[in-house]
Amino acid sequence: QVQLVESGGGLVQAGGSLRLSCAASRIAFSVNAMGWYRQAPGKQRELVAGITSDGNTNYADSVKGRFTISRDYPKKTVYLQMNSLKPEDTAVYYCSTNGPQGNYWGQGTQVTVSS
C-alpha cells in the first residue's frame, strides 16, 4: 500500500514561513512525479506546485516567487517551502504522487495564516 504522510502544517502570521514535508513509502519515488495541492473551504482543490522525476518544477501563479518545491531522493521525501505567507494561503495542503503504480494522495495538513 502506497503511503504519503504530510507534516509541517500549522498556524503562522502573515509574512511568516512554513515548510511542509511529505514522506513517501512503497513507491518508486525516483520515477514518480510529486505535487502539492491545496483546498480552502468552499473551493476546489488546486495545484500549488509540482516536481517531475528529474526535478523540473512548476507553480501556480499565486505562489510563484514565494513557494519552493524540492525532493530528496534517498529520503523519499518532497518538501514545500512557503515564505511570505498570506491569509489567502490558508487551506488543507495535500501531497500527491503520480507514477507507474497510479495516483495517490496523502491525508492533508492544515495551514492557517492569520492576518
Side-chain angles (χ1 to χ4, degrees), residues 39-90:
Q39 188 166 20
K43 294 187 177 182
Q44 289 189 328
R45 191 173 297 187
E46 62 174 356
L47 174 68
V48 175
I51 186 166
T52 65
S53 58
D54 55 2
N56 292 317
T57 59
N58 65 288
Y59 297 91
D61 288 343
S62 59
V63 307
K64 282 181 182 176
R66 300 188 297 122
F67 291 10
T68 303
I69 189 171
S70 61
R71 61 193 298 167
D72 184 322
Y73 291 90
K75 293 183 178 180
K76 292 188 176 182
T77 300
V78 63
Y79 302 98
L80 185 67
Q81 178 66 45
M82 306 185 294
N83 299 328
S84 302
L85 282 161
K86 304 175 181 179
E88 51 263 43
D89 295 317
T90 295

Side-chain angles (χ1 to χ4, degrees), residues 93-104:
Y93 283 71
Y94 297 91
C95 176
S96 178
T97 183
N98 190 32
Q101 294 162 274
N103 180 235
Y104 294 88

Side-chain angles (χ1 to χ4, degrees), residues 1 7 11 22 27 33-34 43-46 115:
Q1 182 80 16
S7 61
L11 174 63
C22 172
I27 65 168
M34 303 293 296
K43 294 187 177 182
Q44 289 189 328
R45 191 173 297 187
E46 62 174 356
S115 57

